[in-house]
Amino acid sequence: MINLRDKGAEFWDRSNRPVRVLTVFVMLAAIAALPYASNSFLQTPIAAFDAVLVYPMGIFILMAMGLNVVVGKSGLLDLGYVAFFAVGAYTMALLGTHTGLNTWEIMPFGIGFAMLAGLILAIPTLRLRGDYLAIVTLGFGEIVRIIAVNTEKIGGALGIAGIPFPPGLGFEYQLLDQKYFYWTVLVLILIVIWIVRRLSARRPGRAWEAIRQDEDAAELMGVSTYKYKIWAFVFGAAIGGGAGVFYASRSMVIAPDNFTLNTSILILACVVFGGMGNIWGVIVGAAILGYLPDRFRFLSDARLLLFGVVLVVFMNLRPEGILPRKKREKKFTSLQTEEGAK
């Protein structure tokens, strides 16, 4: 895994701009063509492959990239990330069924309300650290779900049905043929990648890195740690809210059971499994963990056991994740060297 990545990095460094552009376009074309692989070995036994590409794979990738900003880049353990996903989904469901607004007109509202929820959570809690922060965020996620269960005006335990599809631009979204949903979520993923990479190379990204490495040292060096932690929470919430809007519009029906603690834990597993802090590793991890449960769905409940075994074995073999950041990989390598010397 490491050799392949190193060879890829070496090829990229030696290539000129036209070769790089061509490589990117070839990779994007291959990824965009995945819905046509439904009759290959990738086909899932029960759900249609193009549907699995949208959810869980595509939505998991979006959510994992948002959570990676909070956990991987800033070092803040958030166990209630599903709450922002729920805020975006319920915004879409309520406005979509009670107004004439379409999905893309509702998207800014879903993102805005999720950011507001992130700000409400961040201001009183981000002075906490470690386990205390994790417990508070876990409680916030459960509070949002319980409010949804017990509020009849937003559907209660039964949820909301009849959510409209997004409007097509020269095409029509269909439930039985979801390649247009897949291409749309692919565009959303590319937009988020572009934004995250731009932020990572600028002051917020450097501040998040400093906070993750050593918050006290960062504060002594003049970094406004509290402000940038709020930024991380709000930005991560925005991505989760946008994913929730698209998920609700694609699913047509949502219920509180779609937004449980298990979802937060699974998205966190995607981040850790792929490689915390590395956006490409997180994408690969989310794609794999989104695909595997549906690939082995024919095993019924036993698939969860197999899924857990795969996670345990792999994380023991590669505790730093599939594609870790180079700094994180060097840290693990040095620790293993020290242990071997002892």
Side-chain angles (χ1 to χ4, degrees), residues 242-260:
V245 171
F246 187 75
Y247 167 76
S249 183
R250 175 259 181 189
S251 299
M252 299 175 61
V253 58
I254 60 170
D257 288 343
N258 301 134
F259 312 106
T260 62

Side-chain angles (χ1 to χ4, degrees), residues 291-342:
Y291 172 73
L292 285 182
D294 277 280
R295 185 67 179 84
F296 297 107
R297 191 173 289 275
F298 65 92
L299 297 175
S300 189
D301 290 342
R303 69 190 172 92
L304 299 177
L305 176 61
L306 178 62
F307 183 67
V309 169
V310 169
L311 282 180
V312 171
V313 171
F314 192 88
M315 293 312 297
N316 273 279
L317 294 175
R318 287 188 65 82
E320 70 276 20
I322 296 176
L323 295 174
R325 295 183 317 149
K326 291 183 178 180
K327 291 181 181 180
R328 185 175 177 82
E329 185 178 359
K330 289 178 181 178
K331 178 181 177 181
F332 272 94
T333 303
S334 63
L335 289 174
Q336 289 174 354
T337 304
E338 292 175 4
E339 290 178 357
K342 292 179 181 179

